[in-house]
């Protein structure tokens, strides 16, 4: 399995996704500052993977703290939680994971510093294990939708690299393949950071799943030619009404899918569902640095210097465009989300 994020003897080891597909290098986080910059710079990315990494970041902060009483340690760790929470605003998994770590602080307030530290490490590892289990369960539910011989369009990277392993949208593809179905995945390159071209195409090739890379602006034409049977994407946050925030460009794919009568599915674990947010219009959308748009992979300029640029990292797909949401608990219509996942 692709080792997206690993906790090893008090160090967080990340497969540096900014270097893929050219180089597979490990970025070691030995302090919280390294975790914060790794998340901001997309060394680790994808909603569930960000959550797992942040949880490990909280554990790392606790283990490297020098406080000798639990109250002082708790104050320190709460500051770490704030630093990690300020890294990226859209994926709710980040805040969900930090909340779980804060609960550990609260539940263990009467324990020793040592015990508190080991409970925090345990919780981070549990979040990692549970994420893999949720991806596998989504795969089992979602694979039923995929028929032998189908062509699936995906956007961004919702694979093993975006999770603790196996993936959400790509987990469904993997599971269909494991059931012996012949599938073919079309991948949008996903400008501006190219998660589709660099990461999804790489992951699928590594797994021997047939893949065709297209530029984002080809999706409509490819659908019109009848070459896509199904769209399958991940999510960064799902609001109570079933609106879905995901990588910029997802909305365009959903609109195109509807126009061509193609089912559009979202695969996401319950840690991505935020029923406290009533609709997609309340979801904070991250604005990223403009060099991601004006340069290619931080190098060659492809736009005139000084041009005005927009770079929202995510968009919101309204529930009406979504055929179904695949979760570890089953497949639901968008309007079943609030009722199913309340408390
Ligand atoms: O900016 P990124 O690369 O973190 O954005 C990732 C996505 O939008 C994914 O589709 C989403 O997090 C789902 S990952 C299972």
């Amino acid at each position: 399995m692709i080792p997206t994020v690993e906790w090893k003897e008090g160090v967080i080891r990340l497969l540096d996704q900014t270097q893929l597909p050219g180089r597979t290098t490990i970025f070691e986080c030995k302090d919280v500052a390294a975790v914060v910059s790794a998340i901001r710079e997309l060394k680790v990315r994808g909603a569930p993977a960000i959550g797992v990494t942040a949880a490990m970041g909280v554990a790392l902060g606790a283990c490297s703290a020098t406080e000798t009483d639990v109250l002082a340690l708790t104050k320190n760790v709460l500051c770490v939680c704030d630093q990690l929470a300020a890294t990226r605003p859209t994926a709710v998994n980040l805040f969900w994971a930090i909340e779980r770590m804060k609960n550990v602080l609260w539940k263990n307030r009467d324990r020793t510093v040592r015990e508190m530290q080991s409970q925090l490490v345990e919780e981070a590892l549990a979040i990692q294990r549970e994420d893999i289990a949720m991806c596998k369960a989504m795969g089992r539910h979602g694979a039923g939708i995929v028929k032998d011989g189908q062509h699936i369009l995906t956007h961004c990277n919702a694979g093993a690299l975006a999770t603790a392993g196996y993936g959400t949208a790509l987990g469904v593809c993997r599971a269909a393949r494991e059931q012996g179905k012949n599938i073919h995945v079309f991948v949008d390159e996903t400008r501006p950071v190219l998660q589709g071209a660099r990461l999804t195409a790489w992951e699928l090739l590594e797994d021997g799943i047939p893949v065709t890379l297209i530029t984002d602006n080809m999706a409509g034409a490819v659908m019109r030619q009848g070459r896509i049977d199904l769209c399958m994407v991940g999510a960064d946050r799902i609001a109570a009404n079933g609106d879905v925030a995901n990588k910029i460009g997802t909305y365009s794919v959903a609109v195109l899918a509807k126009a061509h009568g193609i089912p559009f599915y979202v695969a996401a674990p319950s840690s991505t569902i935020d029923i406290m947010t009533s609709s997609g219009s309340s979801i904070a959308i991250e604005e990223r640095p403009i060099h991601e748009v004006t340069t290619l992979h931080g190098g060659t300029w492809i736009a005139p210097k000084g041009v005005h640029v927009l770079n929202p990292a995510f968009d919101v797909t309204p529930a009406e465009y979504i055929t179904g949401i695949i979760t570890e608990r089953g497949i639901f219509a968008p309007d079943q989300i609030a009722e199913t996942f309340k408390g």
Side-chain angles (χ1 to χ4, degrees):
M1 185 152 26
I2 296 164
T4 312
V5 46
E6 216 185 352
W7 173 269
K8 202 165 179 198
E9 289 156 17
V11 173
I12 303 170
R13 290 166 52 84
L14 302 172
L15 176 56
D16 185 348
Q17 300 191 30
T18 61
Q19 302 299 310
L20 289 172
R23 293 199 301 157
T24 45
T25 51
I26 300 296
F27 180 78
E28 291 198 338
C29 303
K30 294 184 177 159
D31 55 32
V32 173
V35 184
V36 166
S37 71
I39 296 175
R40 282 217 176 102
E41 292 164 16
L42 312 181
K43 285 183 166 57
V44 61
R45 32 68 48 206
I50 293 170
V52 171
T53 307
M56 288 185 182
V58 175
L60 179 61
C63 291
S64 49
T66 52
E67 281 81 3
T68 49
D69 73 279
V70 163
L71 186 60
L73 175 70
T74 300
K75 281 189 185 154
N76 180 335
V77 175
L78 286 174
C79 285
V80 169
C81 290
D82 289 346
Q83 288 171 53
L84 290 162
T87 50
R88 299 191 73 191
T90 306
V92 74
N93 308 60
L94 171 68
F95 307 98
W96 169 88
I98 290 172
E99 268 322 295
R100 272 187 60 165
M101 299 305 279
K102 283 185 180 172
N103 275 337
V104 173
L105 290 176
W106 172 247
K107 279 194 207 141
N108 292 283
R109 61 193 181 283
D110 296 329
R111 304 258 201 129
T112 65
V113 164
R114 270 283 165 78
E115 287 167 342
M116 174 74 92
Q117 288 165 330
S118 77
Q119 290 300 312
L120 287 165
V121 172
E122 256 323 297
E123 186 72 355
L125 295 176
I127 289 173
Q128 181 185 33
R129 280 193 305 273
E130 288 167 27
D131 187 63
I132 297 173
M134 289 193 286
C135 285
K136 293 256 168 94
M138 270 179 270
R140 283 192 296 276
H141 294 301
I145 292 168
V146 181
K147 297 191 183 67
D148 189 35
Q150 280 195 324
H151 291 185
I152 303 164
L153 175 70
T154 192
H155 188 77
C156 193
N157 173 267
L161 290 167
T163 61
Y166 204 70
T168 60
L170 293 193
V172 171
C173 297
R174 284 199 165 93
R177 187 71 179 170
E178 284 160 18
Q179 290 178 353
K181 292 173 186 162
N182 285 311
I183 57 161
H184 192 112
V185 183
F186 280 72
V187 180
D188 281 345
E189 64 174 351
T190 318
R191 281 276 293 147
V193 188
L194 302 172
Q195 288 95 333
R198 294 189 304 104
L199 309 177
T200 300
W202 179 79
E203 253 196 75
L204 292 171
L205 282 178
E206 288 280 301
D207 263 17
I209 297 177
V211 53
T212 298
L213 177 65
I214 59 172
T215 64
D216 299 328
N217 51 0
M218 293 176 190
V222 172
M223 286 184 193
R224 193 168 162 78
Q225 289 163 2
R227 297 170 76 171
I228 304 295
D229 302 297
L230 200 64
C231 295
M232 184 78 65
V233 300
D236 286 85
R237 193 185 287 239
I238 301 176
N241 71 342
D243 290 351
V244 169
N246 191 47
K247 179 52 56 193
I248 189 77
T250 303
Y251 171 55
S252 314
V253 175
V255 172
L256 285 167
K258 191 163 194 159
H260 293 88
I262 298 167
F264 182 93
Y265 284 93
V266 173
S270 52
S271 51
T272 304
I273 295 172
D274 175 17
I275 60 163
M276 300 309 284
T277 294
S278 58
S279 76
S281 56
S282 310
I283 297 175
I285 300 291
E286 177 183 7
E287 281 287 336
R288 296 214 33 104
I290 63 169
H291 70 76
E292 290 180 351
V293 175
T294 55
T295 61
L296 279 184
H297 218 37
T300 314
W301 276 78
I302 54 164
K305 290 185 181 165
V307 67
H308 184 251
V309 172
L310 283 181
N311 190 16
F314 303 97
D315 60 25
V316 172
T317 299
E320 69 204 79
Y321 292 95
I322 298 166
T323 312
I325 298 177
I326 302 162
T327 74
E328 76 277 12
R329 288 166 60 180
I331 304 174
F332 301 97
D335 65 4
Q336 293 178 301
I337 288 295
E339 187 54 29
T340 310
F341 290 92
K342 64 169 191 247

